Amino acid sequence: DGAVGAGAILLTASAGGVGFRWNDGKDLWAEGGRTVITANEDAAAAIKLHADVGSAQTIVLLNDEGTTEDAVTITSTAGGVDINANAAKDVTVNGGQFVVAAAHDVADAIKLHADAGTTQTIKLVNDAGTAASAINLLASAGGISLASAATTAVDAVTITALQTTKNALKVSGAALTTGDAISVDANVLTTGNALFIDHDDAHTDAQTVVGMHYDFDKAGTTANSTVQSFTGLDVDLNDAATNHAGSTVVMTGLDIDVDSASDQGANTNV
């Protein structure tokens, strides 16, 4: 059981070490009930398995009979666990499910960090799941934040969808009352836009295309003596500054341009 003096055969070196040396082409074989190795020196590398002869060497920790969830357990009860691999090699974990649970109540409790160079990327891939939630980001009690420090050379957040008949981006806020389903805050725009939609069409066959569709349905029966007010589009442009006497300010609530370059056929612009 690992206790001092336990065992029918004892090898003891009271003042020195114990060494085993055998032919490089042969094995050191030990078999029994349990194997317990206890290091009594308070030093780094107190227990060490070291393969240092050639590039084909491997170290294998194998349990091919245990079926419990903890058939192989690595535990550090007072310190951390460090896994280091060569910068050009991979750390691969394969299994049924991969569950990482952080037990420390701190910021960055779980962190994936790539910090070696400008070409690095972090990719989360599910190439077999077909459900709408094939990749699911869930914050049961808090929010989800996407922050980008990208420069003007690249877009901050890009969503690329290959769908042809389903929504590329869907926002569901069924419980919203006083909040906004989508809120855009842009305070220093010059030639940019708070919202820009680039919709191009190259069809040559018969089509009925709608660029933007706002669908509001009122289903509730308005009670007696109750006043309800609904507005489909509300545009507020407010100039709260005290402008210079010689200045010119032009504020346009809605500017719509409809133009057809072709002067052939029946063109109707409304």
Side-chain angles (χ1 to χ4, degrees):
D1 59 0
V4 176
I9 298 176
L10 299 177
L11 296 177
T12 302
S14 300
V18 177
F20 293 92
R21 182 73 173 91
W22 61 96
N23 185 279
D24 288 346
K26 301 299 180 179
D27 299 334
L28 171 64
W29 173 77
E31 182 175 339
R34 290 193 296 173
T35 300
V36 180
I37 299 175
T38 302
N40 291 324
E41 184 183 3
D42 186 9
I47 296 177
K48 181 177 181 180
L49 297 177
H50 191 189
D52 69 343
V53 173
S55 60
Q57 284 187 311
T58 62
I59 295 177
V60 177
L61 181 63
L62 175 64
N63 181 351
D64 58 4
E65 293 292 337
T67 59
T68 62
E69 296 295 335
D70 57 350
V72 175
T73 301
I74 299 175
T75 302
S76 175
T77 54
V81 177
D82 191 10
I83 299 176
N84 289 315
N86 185 280
K89 300 299 181 180
D90 299 333
V91 176
T92 302
V93 179
N94 291 316
Q97 286 182 303
F98 186 66
V99 179
V100 178
H104 196 185
D105 185 11
V106 294
D108 296 333
I110 296 178
K111 181 178 181 179
L112 296 177
H113 191 188
D115 67 344
T118 58
T119 60
Q120 283 188 312
T121 61
I122 295 177
K123 180 180 288 188
L124 183 63
V125 178
N126 180 350
D127 58 3
T130 59
S133 59
I135 294 179
N136 185 16
L137 297 179
L138 174 63
S140 300
I144 296 176
S145 177
L146 297 178
S148 172
T151 64
T152 56
V154 295
D155 294 326
V157 178
T158 300
I159 298 176
T160 301
L162 302 179
Q163 287 88 341
T164 57
T165 59
K166 301 296 290 184
N167 299 321
L169 176 63
K170 182 177 181 180
V171 177
S172 179
L176 276 174
T177 55
T178 59
D180 301 318
I182 298 177
S183 178
V184 178
D185 186 10
N187 298 321
V188 292
L189 288 172
T190 54
T191 58
N193 306 277
L195 179 62
F196 176 72
I197 299 176
D198 184 10
H199 178 181
D200 301 318
D201 190 286
H203 286 107
T204 59
D205 55 346
Q207 295 288 334
T208 302
V209 179
V210 178
M212 182 179 295
H213 180 200
Y214 174 80
D215 181 17
F216 170 79
D217 299 310
K218 179 185 176 301
T221 301
T222 306
N224 183 38
S225 301
T226 298
V227 177
Q228 292 182 328
S229 177
F230 305 97
T231 303
L233 181 62
D234 184 9
V235 179
D236 290 331
L237 277 77
N238 301 304
D239 185 355
T242 303
N243 301 313
H244 192 276
S247 66
T248 300
V249 177
V250 178
M251 302 178 67
T252 303
L254 186 63
D255 183 7
I256 300 177
D257 294 328
V258 182
D259 181 57
S260 296
S262 176
D263 57 0
Q264 301 183 86
N267 298 319
T268 302
N269 297 332
V270 180

